[in-house]
Amino acid sequence: MLRRLVAGLAAIVLVAEAAVLVLVHIVLGRTTANQSMSIAGSDPDVMSKATYAMGAGMGAFLVLCAVFAAVTALRDRAPGRFARVVLISAAVTHAVLGILAVGLVGWAAFTTLMLILCLLVLILTLYPAAARQGGEGDGGGPVEDVPPPPPPFGELKPTSP
């Protein structure tokens, strides 16, 4: 029950974060275009369009993470290999942005980013990575606790307990 709640909450929070970031990039792009801002002689039109593109890219990435979190919550199974990679990259991104946010924005932004990081890490740790049987499967399902095979004959064994 807790796993589904965390994954569902993470999906909602990631969609909200995507919407806020897209809105912030739209405001920044319009401000750059309206005031003809330029950094080191860069074209202001290119800068505003790049800001729009960055906002769209970040929003799409966060929505993709939200979709993976929602699918994880609905299926109540561990995310697949690709979904885990995407969620791990989102977690690392939130950690790095949280570190930068302390100095640039403040502690409130840091706390928000760390809460989202915690949700992402919880998704990745509450659902155990499934052992693949013969290389097949999508990474979901139960994990069996199987003891390791005995060492081959003639191999040295430790003598201390």
Side-chain angles (χ1 to χ4, degrees), residues 2 6 12 74 86 96 106 121 123 128 133 138 145:
L2 177 68
V6 167
I12 292 168
L74 291 174
V86 171
V96 172
V121 170
I123 291 174
Q133 299 291 335
D138 62 347
D145 189 18

Side-chain angles (χ1 to χ4, degrees), residues 103-119:
L104 297 175
V105 182
W107 287 102
F110 171 78
T111 304
T112 303
L113 287 167
M114 290 303 107
L115 288 175
I116 297 169
L117 171 67
C118 288
L119 288 172

Side-chain angles (χ1 to χ4, degrees), residues 18-131:
V20 168
L21 281 177
V22 167
L23 179 65
V24 165
H25 279 82
I26 287 173
V27 169
L28 288 173
R30 284 189 182 164
T31 303
T32 303
N34 289 340
Q35 300 208 0
S36 295
M37 293 180 180
S38 176
I39 296 176
S42 299
D43 184 16
D45 190 44
V46 171
M47 288 180 59
S48 66
K49 288 181 182 177
T51 304
Y52 293 142
M54 186 63 155
M58 289 174 66
F61 176 71
L62 289 172
V63 167
L64 177 67
C65 291
V67 166
F68 286 144
V71 167
T72 300
L74 291 174
R75 291 184 180 171
D76 199 22
R77 288 187 1 201
R81 180 178 293 172
F82 179 70
R84 288 183 80 80
V85 169
V86 171
L87 291 173
I88 288 169
S89 67
V92 169
T93 302
H94 278 85
V96 172
L97 288 177
I99 292 167
L100 294 173
V102 172
L104 297 175
V105 182
W107 287 102
F110 171 78
T111 304
T112 303
L113 287 167
M114 290 303 107
L115 288 175
I116 297 169
L117 171 67
C118 288
L119 288 172
L120 290 169
V121 170
L122 277 174
I123 291 174
L124 294 167
T125 57
L126 287 177
Y127 290 96

